[in-house]
Amino acid sequence: MFENKDESRTSLSDLGEFGLINHLTQTFKIKQSSTVTGIGDDAAVIDPKENQLVVTTDLLVEGVHFDLSFMPLKHLGYKAVMVNLSDVYAMNAEATQITVSIAVSNRFPLEALEELYAGIELACSIYNVDLIGGDTTSSTTGLLISVTALGQAEPKQIVKRSGAKDGDLLVVSGDLGASYMGLQVLEREKQVYKVNPNAQPDLEPYAYLVERQLKPEARKDIVELLKKIEVLPTSMIDISDGLSSEIIHLCKSSKTGIRLYEEKIPLDPQLIQTCEEFELDSTTVALSGGEDYELLFTIKQEDYDKIKGNPHLTVIGHVTPEHDGMNLITRANTSIPIVARGWNALKNEE
Ligand code: ADP
Ligand code: MG
């Protein structure tokens, strides 16, 4: 951790652009039947047949979205893909292809890009997604990575943010807040390291939190589960900016209100313990932390029996008429309005 391993360094300029792309992508396999033409032509060709295509892009910038002093490049490659696949799954679609564009400075040797692409390749093979193209250019300072993900679904299976109705149940997958606390732990260890480079960080007590920050998983399994149990959500969104801001997006798009119950918000025991150590309120962290990449969705009440008891899903509230507003019902049974703060706001408070 925190060290540049530079045993062997091959300069990027030695390969030339096409040699570099070829070197980085030669081991990737095409798995999707809808991929007609992948890397190597002027454009990729996709045949979605009777499905609709969904498309999403994210741009990650060094120093803004990631810190390479504690983010291994392999994890960064993996995470850059996850962030995009999560958006595809939030449409209730299957992710099928990605493109990857990078801008790198000559501070990065070939070996660094090999690490980055190893993470991308791992994500592609686990999630059954094809890498079908991208762009490569130079940067004067840091690393930029932009991933575009494509997915497909039958038109009637696509779920938008706008379909929630009064009386629907609000459901979330997994647990919340862990990724944010993982980042707090990593940033604390980085400060310790700056003062004493010989200090060995003991991340063991925070293993789950750190893993959620460095190696998040997109919830392909939840999309598959919902299909299997025949539940079509009425609205859905993925949690990248924190529960409260995603709830507000759902409610505004659907023109509804919400009642969210504090006591129902799923929290991992390690999160609760670490929040105590950092003197942070775990509900605030879950509401505003972000980078959870869980799915937040609404279902009709009549579908409740189909999800009841599933360990991956928790009912955390219900949809109300728009004029009732968006409210958090606290453990003390008081009602407070939900406000969007996002993790930047949370940071500024500290
Ligand atoms: P063009 O000049 O036509 O844009 P490029 O030389 O940039 O072509 O790219 C050649 C091929 O390699 C294309 O199929 C492109 O999609 C792919 N490609 C370029 N950069 C990357 C990258 N970083 N990752 C994956 N594929 C890439
Ligand atoms: Mg190009």
Side-chain angles (χ1 to χ4, degrees), residues 191-341:
Q191 296 311 319
V192 172
Y193 178 82
K194 269 188 186 162
V195 178
N196 177 10
N198 295 320
Q200 279 300 318
D202 179 16
L203 296 177
E204 181 56 33
Y206 314 101
Y208 177 66
L209 309 180
V210 169
E211 171 146 359
R212 293 278 284 171
Q213 168 60 217
L214 295 184
K215 194 171 177 288
E217 302 290 347
R219 299 309 303 257
K220 176 184 165 84
D221 59 328
I222 299 296
V223 173
E224 290 169 351
L225 171 76
L226 292 172
K227 196 165 207 172
K228 197 174 122 210
I229 62 177
E230 294 177 0
V231 171
L232 184 66
T234 53
S235 68
M236 185 148 66
I237 190 168
D238 73 317
I239 303 185
S240 48
D241 294 337
L243 179 63
S244 51
S245 99
E246 313 305 356
I247 283 180
I248 292 169
H249 286 312
L250 273 193
C251 287
K252 289 207 164 139
S253 295
S254 297
K255 300 191 171 56
T256 63
I258 207 93
R259 276 171 84 85
L260 168 69
Y261 294 92
E262 182 182 17
E263 60 178 4
K264 305 282 189 201
I265 298 173
L267 304 173
D268 188 86
Q270 202 171 81
L271 174 94
I272 296 170
Q273 217 172 11
T274 310
C275 281
E276 276 169 20
E277 187 190 329
F278 280 69
E279 295 179 351
L280 287 172
D281 174 51
S282 56
T283 300
T284 306
V285 167
L287 285 172
S288 305
E291 292 203 286
D292 297 304
Y293 303 110
E294 295 295 343
L295 292 174
L296 177 73
F297 55 94
T298 53
I299 62 168
K300 295 194 186 107
Q301 274 187 35
E302 65 209 50
D303 283 334
Y304 175 65
D305 282 344
K306 298 184 193 165
I307 65 148
K308 192 173 65 185
N310 189 297
H312 300 290
L313 301 176
T314 312
V315 177
I316 55 173
H318 59 85
V319 180
T320 58
E322 188 174 22
H323 59 80
D324 288 353
M326 297 170 259
N327 296 295
L328 173 73
I329 313 303
T330 67
R331 287 197 184 83
N333 206 26
T334 54
S335 173
I336 54 172
I338 296 171
V339 288
R341 299 194 302 169

